Amino acid sequence: MNRGPKLYLFDEHAGAFQPLSWTRPLSELLHGAETFRERLERRSGRPVEGVFTHGRFEALRFTRLGGRPLVVNPARPAGDPVLLLDSVYVPPPGADAGPAFADRSRSARFWVGERVVGAWLTAEDAGPAFEALAAREDWREAARAAEDVELPGRRPAGLHRLVARNAEQITADLAGRASGRPPADRPGLTLEGPAERLLLDPGAELAGPVHVDVREGPVRLEAGVRVEPFAVLRGPLVARAGARILGGELGSGCSLGPACKVRGEVQNTVFLGFSNKAHEGFVGDSYLGEWVNLGAGTTTSNLKNNYGYVRLRRASDVLETGLLKLGSLIGDHVKTGIGTLLPTGAFVGPGTNLYGSSGPAPAFLPAFSWGAGTRRETHRLEAFLDSARRAMERRGQTLDAEEAGMLGAVFRATEPDRIAG
């Protein structure tokens, strides 16, 4: 990592990334082949020192997805210049991200279009900005900036936009990382497209006949990934460390987080980590959190019958997404029973348990819902935590007191949504 200003991130408009933002800072969301934090660290050449986000995350150490412990709402740095960036700022591929990542002699604010996405701040100017961030106030007014600088790249407007652009982001993240040739000692591997687009890390295992199509984009399988026989993989696609592909077809735009177990038919979908889709059923244009388990036959609708734009109902509003395709946004620790049907643009809050097959689920399910079809009640907190502990123990993980406390805080904060719903 390079010397220079210390890198800090800040979350803004996190509600647009619900239900995933209920249970993690935005920097820990997977988009493309890596998390936002990993991408900004790679492009800037320096580690993230801390992130300003909701206080309920202060006791947590975000190491489960493979990152280092994350300092939440950090103290003011002593005597160091600061590079402050929006957690979900996406630099463009293969290009200089602008002067934000270089040393400067005076402070500057950085813009993408009409939005301020960060700043380079001298040690003197960083102090007021950190004080404003800690007080949940507008740091832009507190930070004195000598100039305004336009940055290339983008700042996604919400979780649905991460789904819509996941395929292109995988391609951007993997640009220039080609292995040069496919492994010659993989019996049963058939490959369509340029060989350099197949990236197999040491330790990735193809356990029998597997078809890989990289004509539309690269496929990367990280260390510890196992692909079972007769699977079909279509790029752009990435499977992160320890993921297991159980068979079926995984279409373009799929990002599988660490230790996920997934069987096709899946298309353009993100699985954050430790989540399971081990059975048949279609999942498309969706985003799933950690510790999700989809029962056999669980199916998402990702296209309206009238081919109209998808509306996304959330706790406080209905969003016109402008997307023709959008499946389900599913929070952490969601469980679905066999035959569960999720409508187009479904919003499923964390801690929800759906069972039975009495008809399609509602388009909006607040956090910690429990029930079948449109009949639901509140998933009791202690019962939920007991189930979460058992599920995590099965994968060699522990629900510690700090994470249980954070989930309890989410339970209490979302109670008005359950009452209103």
Side-chain angles (χ1 to χ4, degrees):
M1 295 287 181
N2 295 335
R3 299 182 62 185
K6 294 185 179 298
L7 175 60
Y8 294 87
L9 307 180
F10 64 92
D11 287 357
E12 192 168 53
H13 303 304
F17 295 85
Q18 291 178 4
L20 279 299
S21 59
W22 276 115
T23 46
R24 63 184 45 75
L26 300 185
S27 61
E28 307 311 290
L29 290 173
L30 177 61
H31 181 41
E34 53 198 345
T35 66
F36 285 103
R37 173 164 53 139
E38 290 169 333
R39 183 178 301 107
L40 289 173
E41 288 183 330
R42 176 172 60 86
R43 295 300 302 277
S44 68
R46 64 194 81 245
V48 169
E49 303 289 339
V51 60
F52 290 94
T53 186
H54 198 285
R56 64 174 169 265
F57 303 125
E58 288 177 349
L60 301 184
R61 296 164 62 85
F62 288 88
T63 58
R64 187 168 292 123
L65 291 179
R68 301 181 328 280
L70 186 66
V71 178
V72 174
N73 300 332
R76 172 181 174 177
D80 291 313
V82 165
L83 176 58
L84 182 65
L85 292 174
D86 192 313
S87 295
V88 294
Y89 165 59
V90 181
D96 184 1
F101 296 164
D103 286 339
R104 303 177 62 87
S105 60
R106 57 181 184 171
S107 296
R109 290 184 301 183
F110 302 114
W111 296 72
V112 171
E114 298 182 352
R115 188 184 194 94
V116 175
V117 298
W120 197 105
L121 300 171
T122 65
E124 179 183 4
D125 292 343
F130 268 61
E131 292 170 6
L133 285 162
R136 310 288 196 273
E137 297 174 352
D138 188 355
W139 65 271
R140 296 165 184 80
E141 297 300 323
R144 292 170 295 184
E147 60 179 320
D148 291 323
V149 177
E150 180 72 20
L151 289 186
R154 60 189 175 90
R155 198 278 183 189
L159 194 63
H160 60 293
R161 290 295 174 187
L162 302 191
V163 174
R165 301 191 67 167
N166 199 59
E168 70 175 81
Q169 192 59 48
I170 294 173
T171 299
D173 290 337
L174 297 182
R177 300 197 210 181
S179 60
R181 59 182 177 84
D185 58 347
R186 305 280 179 156
L189 170 65
T190 59
L191 179 65
E192 286 189 90
E196 63 272 14
R197 291 181 180 175
L198 176 58
L199 314 176
L200 297 181
D201 289 2
E205 182 180 2
L206 305 180
V210 173
H211 180 79
V212 181
D213 183 349
V214 294
R215 290 175 297 175
E216 300 299 323
V219 170
R220 182 184 184 188
L221 307 179
E222 294 187 359
V225 171
R226 178 181 171 92
V227 184
E228 299 295 341
F230 308 111
V232 176
L233 312 182
R234 302 191 187 280
L237 180 149
V238 63
R240 304 209 59 181
R244 186 172 176 182
I245 299 171
L246 303 178
E249 180 173 335
L250 273 66
S252 63
C254 289
S255 296
L256 310 185
C260 286
K261 297 181 179 180
V262 178
R263 178 186 301 276
E265 179 183 8
V266 181
Q267 175 182 325
N268 193 50
T269 291
V270 178
F271 290 77
L272 251 187
F274 294 90
S275 289
N276 295 338
K277 179 196 177 297
H279 305 284
E280 303 297 331
F282 172 72
V283 175
D285 298 281
S286 298
Y287 200 117
L288 288 73
E290 289 188 280
W291 303 107
V292 175
N293 189 78
L294 302 183
T298 295
T299 295
T300 67
S301 170
N302 65 337
L303 180 68
K304 296 174 67 173
N305 285 352
N306 64 359
Y307 302 94
Y309 292 118
V310 179
R311 292 180 176 179
L312 178 63
R313 184 187 169 196
R314 301 181 293 197
S316 59
D317 62 4
V318 176
L319 176 68
E320 299 286 352
T321 67
L323 301 176
L324 288 174
K325 284 190 172 184
L326 181 63
S328 298
L329 308 181
I330 300 177
D332 291 350
H333 293 282
V334 168
K335 307 293 186 286
T336 68
I338 60 172
T340 299
L341 304 177
L342 295 171
T344 312
F347 181 109
V348 186
T352 290
N353 191 313
L354 296 175
Y355 56 89
S357 54
S358 60
F364 171 74
L365 282 160
F368 299 94
S369 296
W370 170 283
T374 59
R375 304 189 309 276
R376 63 173 176 81
E377 54 190 88
T378 296
H379 193 173
R380 293 182 297 110
L381 179 60
E382 287 307 317
F384 159 75
L385 292 174
D386 286 343
S387 297
R389 289 188 185 97
R390 289 194 293 271
M392 295 174 71
E393 287 170 358
R394 285 167 54 90
R395 307 291 292 275
Q397 302 293 319
T398 301
L399 178 66
D400 59 29
E402 289 76 16
E403 189 166 1
M406 181 272 293
L407 292 167
V410 175
F411 180 88
R412 291 183 289 276
T414 54
E415 182 176 5
D417 300 340
R418 292 187 291 277
I419 295 173

